[in-house]
């Protein structure tokens, strides 16, 4: 006997992965140069030189046992301190190593936080469009995901929708800014309004309502845009961070959960995260990568290549008649599907080996996502197909 629910999850790949696998099959049939794969958000710029240097010097100069050995579950305290020191410098906070728990990326950080907060009947709110894996992370870890409709067409926070969704069962609100898939950065003004709403609701229901701020794209911004730091805006904030995109190391699996020092029951919340991580088999984040991110805490990605792709795609698609919000961060475009049915449009695009992700699993079935972290020459080869597709729909 096996757990059929888990087998079902294993069998059904995410629609993004499905498309990516399809792209590989097609490439074998028609040639890589004839497949235009905009499916995955896999960083396409190399890791900054500081990352490679940190790895090389660690294995060359340090004691092998300490470089590769187990650390405490939360991670090496000195390296956690280096990460919080960088945050304190940037945001004027007073965080210490005790506020940070190194995880194997944002995904397990989110799972641990949800599991830590979920009690009988707990609800967690996310606003569409949202990272599709939230559904799995929340619904299989003791919570229920409640989806708030999008704030069209700007994709800021739908405050009225949030207000309507919050009730006595609400334990957390998951936000993601810069956002995957829209690239929108939630403005300080909107976030302050959300904070005020949650503070009011905490009083009404008599328990904390945490903001779970999922931030893999915090450092990926254009035109020097500022990403407000949620712990400075709302007391009950838990940040789920990832270095995957910022340092182009998604396969190295390193991130953290950060419990703001202003959180209600701060120590108990951290204990619960440590316990939840233990339940999902966390022992420690990779030791070598803890060292890398500690040493590279102040390193920011070189956004030039992503910015060129963003502008090339945004400008060209706008010229062809597509509409989408201009991304301020991350590396995606979220585009209104001609015909208002993104599944149908994505299937039509597939006939041209143009692989774009329907927004359905993000909670917006009339939009599609394209990743802009791709090779510039592929963009050039793909653009005539985007133009022709729009013509077909006119
Ligand atoms: N959250 C969002 C919004 C993401 O886009 C991703 C990855 O694409 C993750 C979480 C998971 O990131 P990680 O690779 O750190 O687990």
């Amino acid at each position: 006997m096996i757990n059929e629910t888990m087998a079902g999850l294993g069998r059904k790949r995410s629609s993004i992965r499905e498309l990516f696998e399809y792209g590989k099959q097609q490439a074998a049939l028609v040639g890589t140069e004839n497949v235009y794969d905009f499916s995955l958000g896999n960083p396409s710029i190399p890791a900054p030189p500081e990352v490679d240097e940190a790895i090389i010097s660690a294995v060359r100069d340090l004691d092998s046992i300490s470089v590769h050995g187990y650390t405490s579950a939360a991670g090496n305290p000195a390296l956690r301190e280096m990460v919080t020191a960088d945050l304190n410098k940037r945001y004027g906070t007073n965080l210490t190593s005790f506020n940070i728990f190194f995880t194997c990326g944002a995904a397990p950080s989110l799972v641990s936080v949800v599991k830590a907060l979920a009690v009988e009947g707990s609800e967690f709110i996310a606003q569409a469009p949202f990272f599709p894996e939230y559904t799995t992370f929340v619904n299989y870890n003791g919570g229920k995901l409640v989806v708030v409709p999008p704030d069209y067409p700007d994709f800021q926070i739908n405050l009225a929708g949030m207000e309507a969704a919050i009730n006595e069962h609400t334990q957390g609100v998951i936000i993601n800014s810069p956002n995957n898939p829209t690239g929108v950065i939630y403005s300080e003004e909107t976030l302050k309004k959300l904070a005020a709403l949650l503070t009011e609701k905490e009083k009404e229901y008599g328990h904390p309502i945490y903001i779970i701020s999922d931030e893999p794209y915090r450092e990926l911004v254009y035109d020097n845009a500022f990403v407000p730091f949620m712990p400075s805006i709302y007391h009950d904030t838990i940040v789920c961070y990832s270095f995957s995109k910022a340092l182009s190391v998604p396969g190295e699996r390193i991130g953290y959960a950060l419990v703001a020092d202003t959180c209600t029951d701060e120590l108990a919340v951290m204990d619960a995260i440590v316990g939840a991580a233990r339940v999902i088999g966390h022992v420690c984040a990779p030791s070598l990568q803890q060292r890398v991110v500690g040493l590279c805490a102040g390193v920011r990605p070189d956004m030039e290549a992503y910015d060129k792709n963003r502008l090339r795609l945004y400008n060209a698609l706008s010229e062809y008649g597509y509409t989408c919000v201009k991304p301020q961060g991350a590396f995606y475009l979220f585009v209104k599907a001609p015909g208002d049915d993104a599944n149908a449009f994505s299937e039509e695009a597939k006939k041209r080996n143009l692989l774009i992700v329907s927004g359905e699993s993000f909670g917006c079935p009339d939009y599609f996502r394209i990743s802009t972290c791709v090779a510039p020459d592929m963009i050039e080869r793909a653009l005539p197909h985007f133009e022709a597709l729009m013509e077909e729909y006119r």
Side-chain angles (χ1 to χ4, degrees):
M1 283 243 290
I2 53 157
N3 181 324
E4 278 304 332
T5 309
M6 293 301 133
L9 280 174
R11 263 178 226 121
K12 193 176 174 303
R13 274 195 291 250
S14 82
S15 52
I16 301 172
R17 284 267 153 198
E18 204 70 66
L19 207 55
F20 174 68
E21 295 299 331
Y22 174 81
K24 285 202 291 195
Q25 285 166 17
Q26 281 302 98
L29 290 177
V30 299
T32 314
E33 69 287 3
N34 296 316
V35 176
Y36 321 105
D37 185 356
F38 292 90
S39 62
L40 278 193
N42 209 3
S44 59
I45 59 169
E50 290 90 337
V51 167
D52 291 347
E53 277 156 27
I55 295 173
I56 291 165
S57 71
V59 294
R60 191 189 50 208
D61 304 332
L62 300 178
D63 157 53
S64 172
I65 305 298
S66 76
V67 169
H68 300 299
Y70 289 128
T71 67
S72 69
N76 178 317
L79 298 168
R80 274 147 58 207
E81 199 74 47
M82 287 159 110
V83 172
T84 49
D86 175 63
L87 294 171
N88 292 338
K89 194 166 110 198
R90 292 163 78 189
Y91 303 114
T93 42
N94 295 305
L95 300 161
T96 70
S97 60
F98 294 106
N99 297 103
I100 283 214
F101 180 90
F102 276 136
T103 60
C104 300
S109 171
L110 285 159
V111 168
S112 306
V113 170
V114 166
K115 221 176 174 50
L117 299 180
V119 292
E120 184 78 35
S122 291
E123 295 184 2
F124 293 82
I125 296 174
Q127 181 184 309
F130 59 89
F131 182 53
E133 287 296 280
Y134 292 166
T135 314
T136 314
F137 295 168
V138 173
N139 290 348
Y140 295 91
N141 285 292
K144 178 182 155 209
L145 189 75
V146 174
V147 177
V148 166
D151 175 39
Y152 289 123
D154 299 333
F155 294 113
Q156 283 286 326
I157 293 180
N158 174 357
L159 289 161
M162 285 283 174
E163 182 158 16
I166 298 168
N167 61 39
E168 70 271 28
H169 302 294
T170 309
Q171 282 283 85
V173 175
I174 308 175
I175 59 169
N176 166 226
S177 169
N179 183 263
N180 170 11
T182 63
V184 162
I185 296 174
Y186 295 145
S187 71
E188 189 151 10
E189 192 194 342
T190 326
L191 291 171
K192 281 185 173 159
K193 285 185 186 157
L194 178 64
L197 171 67
L198 294 182
T199 307
E200 192 185 297
K201 293 287 176 186
E202 284 193 333
K203 285 197 192 112
E204 184 179 338
Y205 296 119
H207 64 80
I209 301 177
Y210 296 94
I211 282 191
I212 303 167
S213 186
D214 178 24
E215 305 186 354
Y217 303 98
R218 190 202 293 147
E219 329 301 350
L220 281 76
V221 297
Y222 304 104
D223 305 324
N224 298 316
F226 175 67
V227 182
F229 190 52
M230 211 51 222
S232 306
I233 296 179
Y234 182 59
H235 57 285
D236 278 335
T237 293
I238 304 171
V239 174
C240 296
Y241 186 81
S242 170
F243 293 91
S244 294
K245 321 281 174 168
L247 297 179
S248 291
V249 291
E252 306 294 356
R253 312 309 303 145
I254 181 85
Y256 58 76
L258 182 157
V259 178
D261 52 350
T262 47
C263 260
T264 315
D265 304 327
E266 178 196 347
L267 298 180
V269 171
M270 187 50 105
D271 282 345
I273 292 173
V274 176
R278 188 174 162 196
V279 169
I280 60 169
H282 170 95
V283 175
C284 64
S287 307
L288 178 59
Q289 297 310 324
Q290 290 183 36
R291 184 166 300 281
V292 170
V293 301
L295 294 176
C296 297
V299 175
R300 308 284 168 254
D302 177 359
M303 294 293 287
E304 195 186 335
Y306 291 149
D307 199 14
K308 276 194 186 142
N309 286 356
R310 169 186 77 128
L311 294 175
R312 179 73 180 119
L313 278 160
Y314 175 79
N315 290 335
L317 294 193
S318 302
E319 191 189 310
Y320 306 150
Y322 291 92
T323 50
C324 85
V325 62
K326 190 174 183 181
Q328 299 160 287
F331 41 44
Y332 308 100
L333 289 184
F334 204 48
V335 188
K336 185 99 169 72
D340 289 341
D341 179 347
N343 282 342
F345 187 76
S346 161
E347 284 305 311
E348 208 48 43
K350 227 165 142 184
K351 293 180 189 158
R352 297 172 172 273
N353 290 319
L354 184 58
L355 309 183
I356 58 176
V357 180
S358 161
E360 189 177 42
S361 57
F362 294 85
C364 292
D366 47 347
Y367 276 71
F368 65 88
R369 187 191 82 170
I370 57 179
S371 295
T372 58
C373 48
V374 294
D377 60 310
M378 188 188 82
I379 296 179
E380 294 310 321
R381 281 182 275 117
L383 284 178
H385 292 283
F386 278 111
E387 187 171 18
L389 261 174
M390 183 50 117
E391 284 307 315
E392 276 177 32
Y393 272 80
R394 275 193 209 283

